[in-house]
Amino acid sequence: MKIITVTNQKGGCGKSTLSALIVRTLSAEGYDVLAVDCDPQGGLSSLLGAKQKPNLYDALLGDIVTPEQIGAFQILGADHRLDKIAYTLPPYEIETILKNHKNQFVVIDTPPTVQGISRAAAIASDVILIPADISKTTLTPTIYTIEALTAIKKAGKVLYIGKAPKADSHGFIKSVYDEFQDGIGKSYAGFIPRSANAQKAAIGQSKVPSAISEIIRGLI
Ligand SMILES: Nc1ncnc2c1ncn2[C@@H]1O[C@H](COP(=O)(O)OP(=O)(O)OP(=O)(O)O)[C@@H](O)[C@H]1O
Ligand SMILES: [Mg+2]
């Protein structure tokens, strides 16, 4: 079993979308994938179409929960009830839950915090991906996320959401991009194109673009 967590303290930087793209890439290749939504907002559950209750919240309370089967993958979904325990969850609870499962890959989406359930997911993980949209407000939380992972002896790989700009193009300001290159340093691992096709693929309305599936396969 290989456990992949997608995390960043920054909100709205592309965590759930990237998580959904990883689930769809791996399950389309025939791997047995379990998606785990650790966010009380339920972003990954919405993108993948999960509806079942009981879900991760009930599993964390000690119930035996069979994940919801959606097409070729399974999911332990989330809903707002998870908010009651997400921020104070002890560090080994996600590892404990995953001991009940035998999938080849587990893909975990996290809420915009590095504490509680996000930390527990990181502790359980083999690979940690940190998506970061290139904007002034994203740099500081992304660096904090790298440091928080380092403190628990984990190395996160940062993926920029969008193309590297040539000049002030692609929706980024060149000087902000340069600040990212300086601040992220050796944690930089590549970029995921920002496109309507990526959004469509995340919700299963089209195939994952090869530019995205190739970078995902190279990192996990
Ligand atoms: N590769 C991409 N291409 C196009 N749009 C994207 C891409 N990644 C994310 N987005 C868009 O950016 C917005 C935020 O994405 P998403 O919900 O995945 O972020 P998040 O980090 O999970 O947010 P939160 O912290 O609230 O959980 C959404 O509108 C999503 O469709
Ligand atoms: Mg999300």
Side-chain angles (χ1 to χ4, degrees), residues 11-17 19 37 39 41-44 47 109-112:
C13 61
K15 295 181 291 296
S16 300
T17 303
S19 302
D37 191 349
D39 187 348
Q41 297 178 96
L44 184 60
L47 292 169
D109 185 27
T110 59

